Amino acid sequence: MHQWPRGLRASHFNKWLQPKLQRCIHCTPTCSVLDKQFKRGEFPELGDVKPTHIIIGAGSAGCVLANRLTEDPDNRVLLVEAGPKDNWWNWKIHMPAALMYNLCTTKYNWFYHTTAQKHMDDRVIYWPRGRVWGGSSSLNAMAYVRGHPFDYDRWEKQGAANWSYKHCLPYFKKAQKHELAKPGDPFRGDSGPLHVMQGRCDNPLHKAFIQSGGDLGIGITDDMNGYRQEGTGPMDMTIKNGKRCSASQAYLWPVLHRPNLFTSSGVMATRILFDKKKAIGVEFIRQIDFRATDFIDSYSRERVYCEQDVILSGGAINSPQLLMVSGVGPAEHLRSHGIPLVNDMPGVGANLQDHLEIYVQQKCTQPITLYNRSSWKFPHNMIRIGMQWFINQTGEGASSHLESGGFARSDDSIPHPDVQFHFLPSTVHEDGRVSGTCHAYQVHVGPMRSTSHGYLRLQHKDPRRHPILNPNYLSQKQDLVEFRACIRLSRELFAQKAFDPFRGEELAPGAECQTDEEIDAFVRAKAASAYHPSCTCKMGSSSDSMAVVDGATMNVIGLENLKIVDASVMPSIVSGNLNAPTIMLAEKAADIIRGRTPLPPESPEIYSPSPAVKKQSAVH
């Protein structure tokens, strides 16, 4: 037994006890072992009610489905979520400027990490994913970006029939309530649950960034989700009245009064239950911190059954993991873990795709950045900003400050933009864990359609253990070619006349980093995930041996009453952020599951670059 150390004061007890408990219960280093490990999750009293549908995951897709499926009073929907609720009093979720707090803790975050990436100096890359009502939409930077129309046309060519842009656009609009939408707007929705605002861009640095795109020849766009994606312009953001508008706030909380909706929190699905090839229910445990024991005993296991569908909406990591621990996946891999095989599906966990990005940072000669307004080195400013937000949800606390951005093509031969920019009038270091040291600004930049794809595999058959995540970053040489263009384009943007009043020395990569070899080394050493894992249970045709989901029904191919609706079903990653596409996908899937007639296709004109458009010199 551990002995109480002599002279140890009670006030120091927690510091002394925590490492002891960590060693005793084999908790991961990032897990807060004193954070109510054994508190039981909340599960509804169903009584004699048998759900028609069980949705696994109250993230972006799960919240949409819970809302839309319960519009039909004959449906009885059980929503199962491993994390806690995003309660109204939790300012760290709802204050837009506080987003970094939850990216650096395990309380609402699965806190995943990749394997060591051999093409990135053997670095392990951090992947935060939401474990809370709203999922990653409760943690993200609130950027509302749809991607390019050609992304969805590509989906259809890859086997996802009726998922082209003309079929998806009506569902983007159905989900959205854009503050700038007009009657008959060809691109924006005006009556959906998800409130979208356009970044105000009041900071002079945002204005300079937007103008620099026009000066360089990339162009300026007033709506990168509309007619023209290419160019620099204001970003759309999921913020309503100064607060984060997550999928939970938009879709779930407003319908909690419905008698046919049953919700849970702190409840983890551990296995899908099958009768031969038919999904009939779910096994689960209810502990807030389910990593705190070495095994799941029979007393902890509970079961719930449904009349129709089990729907996986856990995201691109949790959905394939749950499939595999339930016996659906690559046969040899499952046998190696002693998991009885239900259905051999080599595509489960394959095709893992993500966006990698780099930060180009420039010192600012004027004190107009967020440097002295985003760190507790300046407590008076932090308190002032916090008080203003708490009183009336206005001021600098009411924005994520990623208010401008843009898209560009790295080469004229590319039909639509393959480079994305997010501009920030500040600097970010180590995923937000380290504050900047001076007034500076940065652009997050990276290629949108990397050809480096990876995989997800089980580390252990225990569903609480994090899976093996290997995105295979930079395994294709073309990725480094595109990153060189990204960095050179960013430097050219910062070199434009609009930045003359603000431009100081380049902080990253630094003036000494010029050759291809030097830029490649910088990318390998400093690139980070944009937090967009996807495509691990892709939609496709039955003739594609790697396809997992039939896009016409959302069924897992070869199984009955088992569907997947989340970012894992994307055939390929889109050219932009993933939250807006995931919500659209769930809106469209809800109509499919309900057997409703799909919304009529819409085909508004979109921008096509002229051959005369200036060739970007960054590729030279």
Side-chain angles (χ1 to χ4, degrees), residues 493-569:
L493 286 168
F494 285 170
Q496 297 305 303
K497 183 178 179 180
F499 277 106
D500 285 355
F502 316 112
R503 189 187 311 107
E505 65 180 294
E506 182 178 285
L507 301 177
E512 70 284 354
C513 182
Q514 296 295 333
T515 67
D516 288 353
E517 294 74 18
E518 290 166 344
I519 291 175
D520 292 350
F522 173 71
V523 170
R524 286 192 291 267
K526 295 296 183 180
S529 172
Y531 313 147
H532 298 158
S534 55
C535 309
T536 48
C537 297
K538 71 171 186 175
M539 292 187 286
S541 67
S542 57
S543 62
D544 182 353
S545 64
M546 299 302 287
V548 177
V549 172
D550 178 356
T553 62
M554 308 312 294
N555 288 339
V556 175
I557 297 170
L559 297 173
E560 298 177 57
N561 288 17
L562 181 61
K563 302 181 187 294
I564 308 177
V565 181
D566 56 31
S568 72
V569 307

Side-chain angles (χ1 to χ4, degrees), residues 108-310:
Y108 307 109
N109 183 352
W110 288 99
F111 222 86
Y112 291 119
H113 291 80
T114 70
T115 58
Q117 295 298 288
K118 66 179 181 179
H119 302 288
M120 294 180 66
D121 300 340
D122 288 326
R123 294 165 55 216
V124 172
I125 307 300
Y126 171 49
W127 279 11
R129 306 310 300 155
R131 184 171 64 88
V132 61
W133 278 18
S136 294
S137 75
S138 292
L139 304 187
N140 67 10
M142 291 149 279
Y144 180 89
V145 180
R146 294 176 177 177
H148 194 277
F150 288 176
D151 292 324
Y152 304 97
D153 292 346
R154 183 178 68 248
W155 282 9
E156 189 160 65
K157 293 174 184 175
Q158 293 170 333
N162 296 321
W163 284 89
S164 66
Y165 182 66
K166 67 181 180 182
H167 295 103
C168 292
L169 178 58
Y171 289 97
F172 275 120
K173 294 169 66 176
K174 179 181 180 179
Q176 184 186 57
K177 183 177 177 61
H178 199 294
E179 64 175 5
L180 300 180
K182 300 175 182 178
D185 195 309
F187 295 103
R188 291 172 171 149
D190 62 0
S191 57
L194 187 69
H195 189 94
V196 178
M197 62 168 283
Q198 191 173 78
R200 300 294 181 251
C201 299
D202 293 330
N203 189 299
L205 291 169
H206 283 300
K207 292 178 168 57
F209 181 76
I210 293 172
Q211 183 58 48
S212 71
D215 294 344
L216 181 58
I218 294 173
I220 295 176
T221 177
D222 61 357
D223 181 10
M224 60 186 70
N225 292 313
Y227 166 72
R228 174 174 175 158
Q229 184 193 50
E230 187 167 3
T232 53
M235 295 274 287
D236 281 344
M237 309 161 74
T238 50
I239 296 175
K240 179 181 181 181
N241 299 328
K243 296 191 292 185
R244 176 192 293 273
C245 186
S246 67
S248 169
Q249 295 296 310
Y251 283 91
L252 186 56
W253 284 93
V255 299
L256 289 181
H257 64 278
R258 290 179 182 168
N260 59 340
L261 174 60
F262 304 89
T263 62
S264 65
S265 60
V267 173
M268 184 185 186
T270 54
R271 187 162 61 99
I272 304 162
L273 303 174
F274 288 97
D275 179 5
K276 297 180 181 178
K277 298 282 187 176
K278 180 180 180 180
I280 58 174
V282 175
E283 179 187 88
F284 64 92
I285 58 174
R286 37 176 144 183
Q287 289 177 343
I288 290 291
D289 188 342
F290 39 80
R291 290 172 292 181
T293 56
D294 283 337
F295 61 91
I296 308 173
D297 57 39
S298 58
Y299 174 78
S300 299
R301 299 175 189 268
E302 300 179 65
R303 294 182 174 188
V304 61
Y305 298 90
C306 61
E307 293 179 353
Q308 297 181 35
D309 298 316
V310 174

Side-chain angles (χ1 to χ4, degrees), residues 341-354:
L341 185 66
V342 174
N343 202 40
D344 180 14
M345 301 199 76
V348 173
N351 195 42
L352 175 59
Q353 300 178 36
D354 185 31

Side-chain angles (χ1 to χ4, degrees), residues 439-619:
H439 281 285
Y441 48 88
Q442 72 181 30
V443 64
H444 307 214
V445 62
M448 287 293 95
R449 297 184 294 281
S450 168
T451 54
S452 295
H453 300 169
Y455 59 85
L456 177 154
R457 289 290 181 264
L458 295 179
Q459 181 175 210
H460 194 278
K461 65 181 179 181
D462 186 334
R464 300 166 302 174
R465 302 285 185 90
H466 286 183
I468 296 168
L469 304 171
N470 183 7
N472 248 340
Y473 289 134
L474 304 183
S475 58
Q476 301 296 314
K477 292 182 180 180
Q478 181 61 25
D479 292 351
L480 286 173
V481 173
E482 292 171 358
F483 261 111
R484 293 170 203 157
C486 289
I487 289 173
R488 287 169 175 150
L489 272 171
S490 300
R491 282 172 158 171
E492 291 189 19
L493 286 168
F494 285 170
Q496 297 305 303
K497 183 178 179 180
F499 277 106
D500 285 355
F502 316 112
R503 189 187 311 107
E505 65 180 294
E506 182 178 285
L507 301 177
E512 70 284 354
C513 182
Q514 296 295 333
T515 67
D516 288 353
E517 294 74 18
E518 290 166 344
I519 291 175
D520 292 350
F522 173 71
V523 170
R524 286 192 291 267
K526 295 296 183 180
S529 172
Y531 313 147
H532 298 158
S534 55
C535 309
T536 48
C537 297
K538 71 171 186 175
M539 292 187 286
S541 67
S542 57
S543 62
D544 182 353
S545 64
M546 299 302 287
V548 177
V549 172
D550 178 356
T553 62
M554 308 312 294
N555 288 339
V556 175
I557 297 170
L559 297 173
E560 298 177 57
N561 288 17
L562 181 61
K563 302 181 187 294
I564 308 177
V565 181
D566 56 31
S568 72
V569 307
M570 296 179 178
S572 56
I573 198 165
V574 301
S575 306
N577 306 62
L578 296 194
N579 191 240
T582 300
I583 289 173
M584 174 281 297
L585 190 153
E587 284 276 18
K588 191 173 187 306
D591 272 0
I592 292 172
I593 294 169
R594 296 172 69 186
R596 292 164 60 95
T597 301
L599 297 178
E602 298 181 24
S603 301
E605 182 184 2
I606 61 169
Y607 171 78
S608 179
S610 164
V613 171
K614 175 186 173 182
K615 184 176 179 67
Q616 307 302 335
S617 60
V619 300

